[in-house]
Amino acid sequence: MGKVSSGGVTESERLLAQFCQQSFLKLWTYPNPYKDDGKEFCDSIAVFGNDVFVFFDRRSELPISKDKDPLVLWNRWKKNVIDKQIVTAHGAERYLKAGRALYLDGKKTEAFPLNIDPEKSVIHKIIVAHGAKEACLHSSPDNIYGSLGISYTETDGNKITALEADHPFTLILDKKSPVHVLDSHNLSIILGELDTVTDFVNYLNEKTRAIAHLHILTYCGEEDLLANYYKNYDKKQNRHYIGTKDKKINGIMIDQGEWRDFIGSETYSATKSANEISYMWDELIQRTCQNSIDGTTRGNADLSRGPSAIYEMVKEPRFMRRQLADGMMEAIENFPKTTVAARQVRLMPSIDPKSAYVFLQLQLTRDMENAPDVRERRQAVLEIACGAAKNKFPNFEKIVGIGMEPPKYSKNVAEDFILMPCENWPKQYQEHYTSLNAGWNFFETKSLTKREITVNEFVQPKPKNHGKIGRNEKCPCGSEKKHKKCCGRQQVK
């Protein structure tokens, strides 16, 4: 059955829905759901695991007028576009925490298909405000992009009024129950940069942590906060952070222009270039999700509701997708040209150290390809490869299998996916897959090679002399003797 959705109402709502579907995927994103009273709940909602993203999109042009007090115009715009949506957002959170039902239509004929646990769910309230950019740019020559300034602190009604009177185009938001406010400029930046569920969740969680920890957090635009987040990395905890690790500092103000400087760096440019291959992973997921929506997938996995291979693949952040796609592409390019049946298998790491991927390319003879049960045979071989991987590497608790014909030589490529939960792996399972693997020898051949790879989120730009070894430079391998080629670099004569 195809997915039911309204597709958004206004142009900005459709844009928001498009961004959400790219970041959170179509199976987990629904525009314009409805409450049990038949009224619209929000403009878009995305649910992935226990993370619930509730979006409110509002557009109202803030006029630029020499005849009217700009502060009066600002306060009127803020009341309609921001303040009312904050109240609505808090109400939406209470609604979900009360366990009340959602529907896909106002007549309540289609129930919302995804489960939202009232106790375990984390509700991320996000307001997208359009219409103030030009007025914001016009207000000050120092404003770079026209983004809204944000300050999170402890507030009361009188205090907010006094602060905002002195600082128009800056929102004073309550740190006790924070909402996230994006605008016309930085919506595409935030959802474009943090375009995987894991990357977006990690950012929002760190931002929420910083808001709770600090007495005040102030920045000139959400994109500047993102730049600060990217620049700060805690190696011990393996995560980005906002502000400083100095516990004595209880207030942070992030300067305007942080994002402009960050995207102008060579590291950012090198990372963007390196990430291009990672969208091969996204395309694989999106194609399967669309097949699920169209009802053309086979198998018994409900991709949107329960555990599945696709669900696990969605969890991977951008930099891991880069590494995974690179590994798949390398395997595809190295598949041997042959007229007989052949197979190639590769084990690839996940961001979760207890999970791994088995990538299997299987080329069958023409007679085998024409067999009526060829798809079932391919899936059976993929299962054997996954079981063999668990036997060979018993520390893994979850194996995701991805199988296909060799794209290098096949005109029509169909993908197969398997999720093999294997935390509990009794002896009979081990013996079963050992027996099945006897004719295939997955992960048991003498030619099996193992590589340890360190993957960094940001890619350092190559030095200008990259690819060449100077006359007086030692060989990169450490040898006193220079080689013609070493570590991808060519000897200079």
Side-chain angles (χ1 to χ4, degrees):
M1 179 179 177
K3 177 177 171 179
V4 178
S5 69
S6 65
V9 177
T10 67
E11 181 181 350
S12 60
E13 286 177 4
R14 285 191 289 271
L15 176 64
L16 175 62
Q18 180 181 353
F19 272 117
C20 289
Q21 289 177 357
Q22 289 174 351
S23 299
F24 311 117
L25 306 178
K26 295 180 180 180
L27 287 180
W28 294 277
T29 303
Y30 289 83
N32 310 107
Y34 290 82
K35 298 185 291 184
D36 53 19
D37 60 2
K39 295 181 179 179
E40 188 173 296
F41 176 73
C42 66
D43 293 300
S44 191
I45 185 170
V47 181
F48 192 82
N50 288 325
D51 287 290
V52 181
F53 309 88
V54 185
F55 291 87
F56 301 89
D57 183 278
R58 290 295 179 269
R59 175 178 290 278
S60 177
E61 292 300 321
L62 177 56
I64 302 172
S65 175
K66 296 180 180 179
D67 301 327
K68 296 183 179 180
D69 186 345
L71 187 58
V72 172
L73 296 174
W74 159 253
N75 286 329
R76 185 180 299 160
W77 180 89
K78 185 181 75 70
K79 180 179 179 180
N80 291 327
V81 177
I82 303 294
D83 297 346
K84 288 183 179 180
Q85 304 316 310
I86 290 177
V87 173
T88 303
H90 291 324
E93 182 178 36
R94 291 192 297 271
Y95 184 94
L96 294 178
K97 289 295 185 181
R100 294 171 65 181
L102 292 179
Y103 298 88
L104 298 182
D105 62 323
K107 296 181 180 180
K108 301 184 291 185
T109 60
E110 291 284 343
F112 188 73
L114 305 179
N115 179 58
I116 299 176
D117 190 318
E119 297 182 358
K120 295 181 180 180
S121 292
V122 178
I123 313 298
H124 305 280
K125 297 162 289 186
I126 304 162
I127 296 171
V128 183
H130 303 280
K133 181 177 179 179
E134 295 304 320
C136 190
L137 284 169
H138 186 265
S139 68
S140 171
D142 296 328
N143 197 299
I144 298 176
Y145 297 120
S147 296
L148 296 172
I150 308 287
S151 287
Y152 290 95
T153 188
E154 292 184 3
T155 62
D156 59 62
N158 295 329
K159 189 175 181 181
I160 291 177
T161 302
L163 285 170
E164 291 182 334
D166 295 332
H167 300 86
F169 301 100
T170 297
L171 304 173
I172 312 299
L173 304 178
D174 189 359
K175 63 172 289 184
K176 294 181 181 178
S177 183
V179 298
H180 308 281
V181 180
L182 306 179
D183 55 46
S184 299
H185 172 69
N186 55 44
L187 170 65
S188 60
I189 295 174
I190 301 303
L191 293 187
E193 293 289 330
L194 304 168
D195 61 349
T196 76
V197 175
T198 298
D199 288 318
F200 194 45
V201 167
N202 287 346
Y203 171 73
L204 294 183
N205 286 345
E206 170 54 23
K207 180 183 172 183
T208 303
R209 187 208 63 80
I211 292 170
H213 169 69
L214 298 168
H215 175 68
I216 184 169
L217 173 63
T218 301
Y219 50 92
C220 296
E222 195 75 25
E223 67 274 19
D224 292 323
L225 183 68
L226 177 61
N228 183 271
Y229 169 82
Y230 274 152
K231 290 178 180 179
N232 295 322
Y233 187 76
D234 188 329
K235 292 184 178 180
K236 290 184 178 180
Q237 297 189 27
N238 195 29
R239 65 174 181 84
H240 290 281
Y241 65 91
I242 290 170
T244 176
K245 292 191 288 184
D246 189 341
K247 295 181 180 180
K248 295 180 181 179
I249 296 177
N250 63 0
I252 296 293
M253 184 176 71
I254 297 171
D255 291 336
Q256 188 168 212
E258 289 262 347
W259 180 251
R260 176 194 58 189
D261 296 341
F262 179 71
I263 63 175
S265 67
E266 292 184 356
T267 296
Y268 179 82
S269 179
T271 301
K272 277 295 183 183
S273 178
N275 280 347
E276 289 180 5
I277 194 173
S278 72
Y279 291 94
M280 170 186 172
W281 190 261
D282 295 50
E283 291 169 5
L284 194 61
I285 297 171
Q286 288 280 23
R287 186 162 58 248
T288 307
C289 287
Q290 188 61 53
N291 290 339
S292 177
I293 293 170
D294 296 339
T296 58
T297 54
R298 299 182 181 181
N300 57 3
D302 187 335
L303 299 188
S304 62
R305 291 176 182 244
S308 69
I310 294 298
Y311 187 88
E312 297 302 318
M313 292 170 68
V314 172
K315 292 179 182 179
E316 301 296 339
R318 178 58 55 202
F319 77 98
M320 279 303 300
R321 296 187 186 198
R322 180 208 312 152
Q323 185 61 37
L324 288 162
D326 188 65
M328 290 180 65
M329 184 57 69
E330 183 183 40
I332 289 170
E333 290 299 323
N334 290 337
F335 195 90
K337 187 173 184 179
T338 178
T339 57
V340 298
R343 85 285 191 283
Q344 185 187 79
V345 67
R346 173 172 291 210
L347 187 76
M348 304 183 299
S350 166
I351 189 66
D352 178 2
K354 294 183 179 180
S355 299
Y357 294 92
V358 167
F359 177 48
L360 173 67
Q361 296 179 86
L362 186 62
Q363 178 175 288
L364 301 177
T365 63
R366 183 169 297 180
D367 291 341
M368 294 177 179
E369 288 284 359
N370 294 331
D373 61 344
V374 62
R375 193 69 183 270
E376 288 75 12
R377 290 186 182 185
R378 289 184 179 278
Q379 292 170 346
V381 176
L382 180 59
E383 181 184 344
I384 294 171
C386 291
K390 170 62 179 180
N391 282 345
K392 185 68 175 182
F393 308 100
N395 57 302
F396 292 124
E397 297 179 357
K398 198 178 293 180
I399 303 288
V400 175
I402 305 172
M404 62 180 67
E405 302 96 328
K408 189 175 182 180
Y409 303 113
S410 301
K411 293 182 180 180
N412 299 314
V413 178
E415 300 93 6
D416 293 306
F417 301 93
I418 287 178
L419 172 62
M420 180 176 283
C422 48
E423 182 177 0
N424 297 317
W425 196 250
K427 187 176 181 180
Q428 58 265 36
Y429 285 12
Q430 181 181 353
E431 293 175 347
H432 173 71
Y433 286 104
T434 297
S435 175
L436 292 177
N437 193 37
W440 295 96
N441 294 324
F442 290 125
F443 304 108
E444 297 296 338
T445 61
K446 293 182 180 180
S447 59
L448 182 68
T449 59
K450 181 179 179 181
R451 293 184 297 172
E452 291 196 9
I453 301 173
T454 300
V455 184
N456 295 315
E457 182 174 1
F458 289 100
V459 178
Q460 294 303 314
K462 296 177 181 179
K464 293 182 180 180
N465 66 343
H466 177 80
K468 296 183 178 181
I469 305 172
R471 291 186 180 89
N472 299 320
E473 185 181 358
K474 288 186 177 180
C475 192
C477 69
S479 172
E480 293 295 328
K481 181 180 179 181
K482 289 187 178 181
H483 304 137
K484 289 184 178 181
K485 284 188 177 181
C486 185
C487 303
R489 298 172 67 187
Q490 183 73 40
Q491 173 67 48
V492 176
K493 296 182 180 179

